[in-house]
């Protein structure tokens, strides 16, 4: 059965975001093995680069929700993707807890995308101005409502706690859902102007090998997200051992 033709620009943007994540995690691992100065990954430039990459993934997830379910929610397809995200997020939590229990990932980017996708269904039919107000509200809430009342571990994911547990990857609802809403707003605006209808689509055999490889990465970001860090870690460990 042939693959449905996909929107090229979305897969290309996902691939670019994935490349950015690999670059950051490479620097993170170099610091872990003391091959670059301590604090490099947490410096102003690299920490903001990481936020840009995470924001890109979350924004694209918002775009994808509108593209896939803007006309009507395809519940079977949504449920399959949601379950995959939840299982992948759980795998990340378990793996990071085994390696670094003091900084394990309890609400990282996969947890965020799964949660935001579920909540985002409620915003699919709302007017754009409501989404805009929601975006501003999500952005400003941490500064207005941060309180000790949210310090219970079960509420850390909201991002309003004054003492959240440290984590290697943390994208709480406030303010990161704003990036998801931005993606939904952009997708709805583009869709209303026929942008996705006119967007160039492709099948896997189109284009040159390098471009095909990039688009393949854009189609398989979840799998590559899960495997890239173990591969990087192993390669750097092996290089360090050989040196």
């Amino acid at each position: 059965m042939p693959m449905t033709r996909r929107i090229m620009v979305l897969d290309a943007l996902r691939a670019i975001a994935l490349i950015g994540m690999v670059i950051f995690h490479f620097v993170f691992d170099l610091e872990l093995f003391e091959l670059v100065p301590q604090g490099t990954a947490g410096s102003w430039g690299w920490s903001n680069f990481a936020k840009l990459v995470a924001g890109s993934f979350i924004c694209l997830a918002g775009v994808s929700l509108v593209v896939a379910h803007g006309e009507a929610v395809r519940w079977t397809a949504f449920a399959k993707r949601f379950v995959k995200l939840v299982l992948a997020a759980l795998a990340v939590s378990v793996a990071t807890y085994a390696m670094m229990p003091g900084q394990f990932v309890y609400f990282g980017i996969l947890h965020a995308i799964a949660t935001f996708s579920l909540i985002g269904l409620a915003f699919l039919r709302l007017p754009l101005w409501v989404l805009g107000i929601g975006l501003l509200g999500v952005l400003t809430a941490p500064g207005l409502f941060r309180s000790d009342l949210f310090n219970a571990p079960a509420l850390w994911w909201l991002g309003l706690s004054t003492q959240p547990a440290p984590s290697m990857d943390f994208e709480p609802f406030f303010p990161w859902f704003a990036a998801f809403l931005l993606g939904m707003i952009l997708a709805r605006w583009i869709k209303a102007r026929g942008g996705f209808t006119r967007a160039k689509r492709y099948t896997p055999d189109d284009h040159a090998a390098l471009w095909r490889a990039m688009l393949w990465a854009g189609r398989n970001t979840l799998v590559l997200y899960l495997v890239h860090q173990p591969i990087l870690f192993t390669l750097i460990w092996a290089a360090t051992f050989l040196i």
Side-chain angles (χ1 to χ4, degrees):
M1 184 176 178
M3 175 182 282
T4 303
R5 292 176 69 83
R6 296 174 60 95
I7 298 175
M8 181 183 293
V9 66
L10 293 182
D11 282 339
L13 288 172
R14 290 188 192 99
I16 292 169
L18 183 66
I19 291 169
M21 183 166 288
V22 171
I23 290 171
F24 176 76
H25 283 160
F26 179 68
V27 173
F28 180 89
D29 290 346
L30 288 177
E31 181 179 330
L32 200 63
F33 283 93
E34 299 183 348
L35 297 175
V36 297
Q38 291 299 304
T40 298
S43 65
W44 184 89
W46 282 111
S47 63
N48 281 290
F49 178 74
K51 289 175 183 175
L52 176 63
V53 170
S56 299
F57 269 115
I58 294 172
C59 183
L60 286 169
V63 171
S64 297
L65 185 70
V66 172
V67 171
H69 306 286
E71 299 299 328
V73 178
R74 299 181 295 121
W75 290 108
T76 301
F78 179 87
K80 286 181 179 178
R81 180 176 179 274
F82 181 75
V83 169
K84 286 179 183 178
L85 284 169
V86 170
L87 292 176
L90 180 61
V92 169
S93 292
V94 171
T96 54
Y97 186 81
M99 293 183 63
M100 300 180 73
Q103 298 185 57
F104 85 102
V105 178
Y106 55 88
F107 200 80
I109 192 164
L110 295 182
H111 306 70
I113 290 176
T115 304
F116 298 170
S117 297
L118 190 62
I119 296 172
L121 292 176
F123 289 81
L124 278 174
R125 306 287 176 264
L126 295 179
L128 280 181
W129 65 267
V130 175
L131 271 67
I133 291 175
L135 187 156
L136 292 175
V138 170
L139 277 178
T140 57
L144 297 174
F145 302 111
R146 196 180 303 278
S147 167
D148 292 343
L149 296 173
F150 297 99
N151 283 347
L155 300 178
W156 286 342
W157 70 277
L158 289 173
L160 299 177
S161 169
T162 58
Q163 297 177 340
S167 176
M168 292 183 286
D169 181 28
F170 187 44
E171 281 83 29
F173 183 85
F174 299 104
W176 286 94
F177 187 57
F180 193 90
L181 286 175
L182 176 61
M184 293 186 71
I185 291 169
L186 289 173
R188 296 252 313 256
W189 187 84
I190 293 169
K191 188 175 181 180
R193 285 151 183 78
F196 292 122
T197 303
R198 298 193 301 271
K200 188 171 182 181
R201 295 175 182 262
Y202 75 101
T203 54
D205 345 347
D206 295 340
H207 311 294
L210 184 60
W211 189 239
R212 285 204 308 270
M214 185 171 180
L215 295 176
W216 176 85
R219 295 193 304 273
N220 296 278
T221 50
L222 181 58
V223 173
L224 293 174
Y225 176 86
L226 291 174
V227 303
H228 83 277
Q229 183 65 315
I231 292 172
L232 280 177
F233 190 90
T234 302
L235 290 175
I236 295 173
W237 174 86
T240 305
F241 180 78
L242 292 173
I243 291 172

